[in-house]
């Protein structure tokens, strides 16, 4: 099958979060199954051109944005370590700046124009390549306008695009790309698409909604999240629409890149290890304690690597902190995000310098070192579409402590869970006391070396590779094409 990915970040070229991991690993897994997958993404200033061996092509993409026409230039290369083709779309005025989506916690003010241009350019590219994909797979609001253009826009009439079904994957429903209707011209869609059955949302433009109403099939990144987003608590106002499209919606758990995240070969670690030979893990703990200036004690070292935003539940971590510090626990936090959380965490580290380490940076090697060196890994998210770190943790023999929500609920089984083989600790309530209680349970097991090691090893045996998920996506692509095939047959008979 020929599949075009339209996606705003791809690891290791440009990344802010889990979307980038998926946008790299899923195409690779699909290519391994024999499919022709190509990726379009913006050529950001910070995009690692060398990593993708990007070279300029003669392709020029004139794209209308309201009253002006901007020209995109196309660079082509490959995802590192694969044959997956990457097309990076260059447009200096839109992408040659710091920050993928914004800077210092503020969105770029022209994000509608930036991602409208991107979505249209990705489709304009197809005739230039003389390549007609069978499915256009759009990811999140930044690419949702590509689905809308295939349904409502000029692309629906363009011979190389007409009739191609879109699949939209919602990686995080809380980011919808909502803009004032006064900027409608920038979408380059017909006025009729600003309606209840189109992009209109409380008299504003909602790009994600445009994708949800336009795509032939919808997916999200875990079965639990697929159910949750149909409820008011997790639906961010789109729960009704998602309920209406429930038959087209599938939850497919993300896999992880098991080569990138492999404690047996990880080049970022002080020592490598396997489930059979765990000695290296102790060396990793010592090394990370040393690097982060934590006391060289055998306290329960809890790692946290995440965006420091409200979603991730840092409020209850901060709320539980003083009582947590009364226990033999250390905390290693790596993340960037909202300035208020930066300040609160820094103060905490100042109060407990040898117990709490806070690194406010995006640091890939350190993320690996914390995954390997920590005993446990905490994810206290208010909502979590899938979450990747809990899976990395299990693979690294680091016990996940997670809220029972979204993909966390689908991937971690609690120690006391009677039905599943336990792999970690799960708590229910979004409250500091619930976090403290689960930390105490973890600590009690940590003192029982043999039981703790059994839990570690069970986690390390889990299979989170992409193969199975990639096969599930292929089924969705086939379903997306099916109604169209039926339609064509009817037309021919007439
Ligand atoms: P989300 O997509 O909501 O950010 P996920 O758990 O799905 O959450 O994915 C987060 C990804 O980003 C993981 O690969 C994680 O290791 C990585 N990550 C997040 N913050 C940092 C950071 N400060 N430094 C390095 N990696 C980070």
């Amino acid at each position: 099958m020929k599949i075009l990915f339209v996606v705003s970040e791809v690891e290791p070229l440009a990344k802010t979060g889990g979307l980038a991991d998926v946008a790299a690993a899923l195409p690779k897994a699909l290519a391994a199954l024999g499919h022709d997958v190509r990726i379009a993404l913006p050529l950001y200033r910070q995009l690692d051109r060398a990593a993708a061996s990007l070279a300029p092509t003669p392709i020029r993409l004139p794209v209308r944005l309201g009253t002006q026409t901007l020209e995109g230039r196309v660079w082509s290369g490959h995802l590192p370590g694969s044959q997956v083709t990457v097309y990076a779309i260059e447009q200096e005025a839109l992408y040659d700046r710091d920050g993928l989506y914004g800077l210092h916690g503020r969105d770029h003010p022209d994000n509608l124009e930036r991602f409208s241009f991107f979505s249209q350019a990705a489709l304009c590219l197809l005739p230039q390549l003389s390549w007609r994909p069978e499915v256009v797979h759009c990811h999140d609001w930044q690419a949702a306008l590509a689905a809308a253009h295939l349904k409502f826009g000029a692309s629906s009439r363009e011979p190389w695009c007409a009739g191609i079904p879109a699949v939209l994957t919602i990686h995080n429903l809380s980011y919808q790309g909502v803009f004032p209707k006064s900027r409608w011209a920038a979408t380059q869609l017909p006025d009729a698409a600003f309606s209840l059955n189109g992009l209109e949302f409380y008299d504003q433009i909602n790009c994600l909604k445009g994708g949800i109403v336009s795509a032939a099939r919808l997916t999200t990144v875990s079965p639990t999240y697929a159910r949750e987003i149909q409820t008011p608590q997790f639906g961010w106002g789109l729960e009704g629409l998602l309920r209406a499209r429930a038959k087209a919606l599938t939850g497919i758990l993300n896999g992880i890149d098991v080569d990138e995240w492999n404690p047996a070969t990880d080049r970022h670690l002080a020592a490598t290890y396997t489930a059979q030979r765990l000695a290296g893990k102790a060396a990793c703990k010592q090394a990370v304690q040393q690097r982060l200036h934590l006391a060289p004690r055998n306290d329960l070292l809890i790692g946290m690597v995440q965006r420091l935003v409200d979603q991730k539940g840092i409020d209850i971590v901060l709320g539980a902190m003083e009582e947590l510090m009364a226990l033999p626990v250390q905390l290693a936090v790596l993340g960037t995000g909202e300035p208020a959380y930066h300040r609160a965490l820094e103060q905490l580290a100042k109060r407990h310098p040898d117990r709490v380490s806070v690194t406010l940076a995006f640091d890939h090697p350190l993320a690996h070192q914390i995954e390997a060196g920590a005993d446990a890994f905490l994810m206290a998210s208010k909502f979590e579409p899938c979450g990747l770190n809990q899976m990395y943790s299990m693979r690294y023999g680091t016990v996940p402590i997670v809220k029972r929500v979204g993909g966390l609920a689908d991937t971690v089984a609690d120690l006391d869970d009677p039905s599943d083989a336990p792999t970690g600790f799960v708590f229910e309530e979004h409250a500091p006391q619930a976090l403290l209680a689960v930390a105490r349970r973890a600590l009690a097991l940590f003192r029982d070396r043999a039981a703790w090691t059994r839990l570690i090893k069970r986690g390390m045996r889990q299979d989170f590779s992409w193969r199975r998920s990639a096969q599930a996506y292929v089924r969705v692509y086939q379903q997306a094409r099916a109604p169209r095939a039926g339609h064509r047959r009817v037309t021919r008979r007439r």
Side-chain angles (χ1 to χ4, degrees):
M1 209 182 284
K2 296 202 274 290
I3 306 141
L4 176 71
F5 268 55
V6 184
V7 63
S8 58
E9 51 183 277
V10 180
E11 132 84 32
L13 311 179
K15 169 168 175 172
T16 68
L19 170 61
D21 299 66
V22 178
L26 177 56
K28 284 194 220 169
L30 289 166
L33 294 174
H35 301 288
D36 177 5
V37 194
R38 307 188 190 183
I39 302 174
L41 90 163
L43 182 56
Y44 304 104
R45 175 183 290 173
Q46 52 278 84
L47 190 135
D48 188 343
R49 297 179 191 207
S53 342
L54 284 183
T57 71
I59 299 175
R60 298 287 180 269
L61 306 171
V63 173
R64 296 277 301 164
L65 272 188
T67 52
Q68 52 176 344
T69 300
L70 294 181
E71 188 179 75
R73 286 172 297 282
V74 179
W75 295 58
S76 99
H78 286 98
L79 261 192
S82 83
Q83 285 307 308
V84 175
T85 305
V86 172
Y87 300 110
I89 296 167
E90 182 181 25
Q91 214 310 310
E92 277 153 20
L94 299 179
Y95 309 128
D96 186 15
R97 61 175 82 169
D98 290 338
L100 264 55
Y101 311 128
L103 214 50
H104 311 304
R106 283 225 188 119
D107 288 345
H108 291 312
D110 56 348
N111 273 347
L112 176 60
E113 289 73 15
R114 295 174 79 229
F115 292 105
S116 173
F117 177 89
F118 167 58
S119 299
Q120 294 181 68
L123 298 177
C124 281
L125 179 62
L126 301 177
Q128 303 256 15
L129 297 171
S130 302
W131 186 72
R132 189 184 148 88
E134 285 147 288
V135 172
V136 171
H137 190 168
C138 309
H139 297 264
D140 276 353
W141 80 261
Q142 291 90 340
L145 288 181
H149 270 271
L150 285 169
K151 175 159 173 155
F152 300 111
S155 303
S156 64
R157 299 179 298 276
E158 205 288 325
W160 281 92
C161 298
I164 302 177
V167 170
L168 174 72
T169 296
I170 300 166
H171 296 263
N172 191 332
L173 188 64
S174 74
Y175 301 97
Q176 300 182 357
V178 174
F179 301 95
K181 71 171 170 189
S182 56
R183 288 164 68 188
W184 177 252
T187 66
Q188 214 57 38
L189 288 165
D191 289 347
F194 188 76
S195 66
L196 192 64
N197 297 320
L199 285 75
E200 190 270 333
F201 182 71
Y202 297 100
D203 211 29
Q204 292 189 299
I205 304 165
N206 184 321
C207 295
L208 188 70
K209 183 184 173 225
I212 294 173
V213 299
S214 303
R217 291 279 152 175
L218 306 170
T219 76
T220 187
V221 289
S222 69
T224 296
Y225 193 59
R227 286 191 298 276
E228 287 172 344
I229 58 176
Q230 298 177 47
T231 68
Q233 192 187 349
F234 297 100
W236 299 93
L238 291 177
E239 59 274 12
L241 176 61
L242 288 162
R243 269 200 306 279
R245 295 227 57 199
K247 283 209 177 80
L249 171 64
T250 314
I252 303 174
L253 207 54
N254 286 335
I256 60 172
D257 186 331
V258 290
D259 299 323
E260 165 74 14
W261 294 92
N262 183 354
T265 55
D266 192 329
R267 63 191 188 288
H268 301 300
L269 304 187
T272 54
Y273 57 93
T274 62
Q276 288 72 42
R277 287 184 302 107
L278 274 170
K281 183 159 173 71
C284 288
K285 179 170 179 177
Q286 278 175 2
V288 84
Q289 281 176 322
Q290 200 174 8
R291 172 167 176 183
L292 299 176
H293 309 292
L294 295 167
R297 281 196 301 265
N298 197 23
D299 290 354
L300 179 74
L301 174 55
I302 301 177
M304 289 175 70
V305 179
Q306 59 183 36
R307 293 178 297 119
L308 299 173
V309 296
D310 186 58
Q311 174 198 338
K312 301 292 176 177
I314 305 143
D315 54 335
I316 64 168
V317 180
L318 292 170
M321 215 52 214
E322 288 315 316
E323 280 176 88
L324 210 53
M325 285 294 105
L327 306 171
V329 164
Q330 294 181 345
L331 190 67
V333 182
L334 168 64
T336 57
E338 290 163 23
Y341 289 131
H342 287 197
R343 282 193 297 275
L345 286 164
E346 269 176 333
Q347 280 164 12
L348 206 68
K350 249 188 222 143
R351 278 206 300 281
H352 307 279
D354 63 343
R355 311 272 307 280
V356 177
S357 146
V358 174
T359 309
L360 302 173
F362 201 95
D363 186 333
H364 197 64
L366 183 57
H368 283 243
Q369 288 155 13
I370 291 177
E371 281 291 3
D375 298 299
F377 195 94
L378 177 60
M379 297 176 80
S381 310
K382 288 181 180 164
F383 65 94
E384 193 59 75
C386 178
L388 296 169
N389 279 305
Q390 79 279 15
M391 295 189 266
Y392 301 153
S393 298
M394 284 181 258
R395 193 155 161 78
Y396 278 64
T398 302
V399 174
I401 301 176
V402 303
K403 252 294 268 310
R404 192 185 300 283
V405 72
L408 301 176
D410 290 332
T411 48
V412 182
D414 184 80
L415 185 67
D416 294 335
D417 200 323
S419 55
D420 290 307
T423 46
F425 294 90
V426 183
F427 64 103
E428 305 278 342
E429 216 190 325
H430 194 80
Q433 287 310 319
L435 180 57
L436 277 168
V438 80
R440 287 199 184 94
R441 287 174 61 216
L443 203 51
L445 194 81
F446 182 63
R447 294 207 182 93
D448 180 346
R449 220 40 236 177
W452 186 261
T453 306
R454 275 199 300 280
L455 191 61
I456 284 180
K457 288 190 172 178
R458 191 171 306 109
M460 293 182 88
R461 279 200 302 271
Q462 304 292 310
D463 177 11
F464 294 117
S465 64
W466 263 102
R467 197 182 159 79
R468 203 174 348 149
S469 304
Q471 286 164 338
Y473 275 101
V474 172
R475 283 194 292 280
V476 169
Y477 298 150
Q478 284 161 346
Q479 290 162 352
R481 292 172 60 203
R484 308 246 163 205
H487 178 72
R488 243 183 259 134
R489 266 199 306 279
V490 173
T491 324
R492 231 180 278 137
R493 251 185 251 133
R494 255 195 266 142

